[in-house]
Amino acid sequence: QVQLVESGGGLVQPGGSLRLSCAASGSTSSIYTVGWYRQAPDKQRELVAEILSGGRTNYADSVEGRFTISRDTSKNTLYLQMNSLKPEDTAVYYCRVTLSGYAYWGQGTQVTVSP
């Protein structure tokens, strides 16, 4: 099993930046894929960015060129650097990892983009 704890959310003005972190503990050596998802009020949870096996990254069209996903395996931490934030990026952001066919989620961190 894996435990995930996100941090780094908050209130930021449009055009600003935030970096989210997701610290993993437990059976981290067996993690297969990692990613960030978000859920805005009254909307379905959606993929933001992910790192697939082999290191290939995948981004949602809405964040391509503004967000960057990365991981530091020595610290068992996943990051999401978010630049040029827009009000429509407001959501609860979740990290997700897959391990042995199962998906594990963090508790989420709120990101609010507002003047």
Side-chain angles (χ1 to χ4, degrees), residues 14-36:
S17 298
L18 282 175
R19 188 176 81 156
L20 305 184
S21 299
C22 174
S25 60
S27 302
T28 57
S29 62
S30 300
I31 288 175
Y32 186 61
T33 65
V34 295
W36 288 95

Side-chain angles (χ1 to χ4, degrees), residues 24-90:
S25 60
S27 302
T28 57
S29 62
S30 300
I31 288 175
Y32 186 61
T33 65
V34 295
W36 288 95
Y37 287 70
R38 68 186 180 186
Q39 188 167 16
D42 299 323
K43 292 189 176 181
Q44 289 189 336
R45 192 171 298 187
E46 62 177 1
L47 172 69
V48 176
E50 61 184 345
I51 301 176
L52 304 173
S53 61
R56 183 168 61 89
T57 57
N58 180 42
Y59 293 91
D61 290 343
S62 59
V63 307
E64 184 83 52
R66 299 189 297 123
F67 291 10
T68 303
I69 188 172
S70 62
R71 66 188 296 186
D72 185 334
T73 54
S74 68
K75 296 181 180 180
N76 291 323
T77 301
L78 179 68
Y79 302 100
L80 184 68
Q81 178 66 45
M82 306 186 295
N83 299 327
S84 302
L85 282 161
K86 304 176 181 180
E88 51 264 42
D89 295 318
T90 296

